[in-house]
Amino acid sequence: MDRFFLAMMVSAVLLLIVASDLLVNGPSRQDQTAQMANIQPVVARLIR
């Protein structure tokens, strides 16, 4: 019973962390960070 309670508390805390991250950043913010990885640095564009 104690292990079940501990597992439930850990999963609840993880769910709260994910929910607060979505509230702060918003779901559209995640797409922008994924696009930032594809942008080449300025030096690489100058060399080409």
Side-chain angles (χ1 to χ4, degrees):
M1 188 70 176
D2 290 335
R3 289 183 183 177
F4 177 72
F5 181 74
L6 180 64
M8 224 155 109
M9 287 295 119
V10 169
S11 61
V13 168
L14 290 176
L15 185 66
L16 284 175
I17 290 172
V18 170
S20 64
D21 185 45
L22 284 176
L23 280 175
V24 171
N25 293 332
S28 62
R29 188 88 176 165
Q30 308 265 337
D31 296 336
Q32 289 178 354
T33 55
Q35 290 174 358
M36 290 290 276
N38 295 331
I39 297 176
Q40 291 181 348
V42 177
V43 177
R45 283 186 277 176
L46 288 176
I47 294 173
R48 291 183 183 186

